[in-house]
Amino acid sequence: MEELDRITQRPGIMSGKACIRGMRVTVGMIVGQIASGHSIDELLADYPYLGREDIAQALRYAAWRAEERDILLASA
């Protein structure tokens, strides 16, 4: 089973939405930017505190939610 150690969910951060490493950057924001045509390199330039693996895990998490597969999340 795949583990997503950079995706966290905490009730007090962004209303419990899936975020990157406890920051106020949601998986939905990342996926939305990619869906709008932004490249990963553009996201990395616009959000220098994100890493390539953060974006990759956000996309994997979104794919899992769409497919409803079991993935371990990092405990917050």
Side-chain angles (χ1 to χ4, degrees):
M1 186 176 298
E2 186 177 359
E3 184 176 348
L4 298 176
D5 59 354
R6 294 175 184 240
I7 307 298
T8 56
Q9 287 183 287
R10 297 179 184 152
I13 299 176
M14 301 301 287
S15 301
K17 292 180 182 178
C19 293
I20 304 298
R21 295 182 284 123
M23 296 186 287
R24 296 184 180 280
V25 177
T26 65
V27 168
M29 183 279 295
I30 291 173
V31 172
Q33 292 289 316
I34 297 290
S36 294
H38 291 85
S39 70
I40 291 173
D41 288 331
E42 287 174 320
L43 283 175
L44 293 172
D46 290 343
Y47 303 94
Y49 43 85
L50 292 178
R52 192 168 295 276
E53 184 60 20
D54 293 327
I55 296 169
Q57 285 195 21
L59 294 172
R60 286 198 300 272
Y61 178 81
W64 165 70
R65 292 297 304 218
E67 293 294 327
E68 300 181 329
R69 294 182 290 151
D70 291 299
I71 297 177
L72 296 176
L73 296 178
S75 56

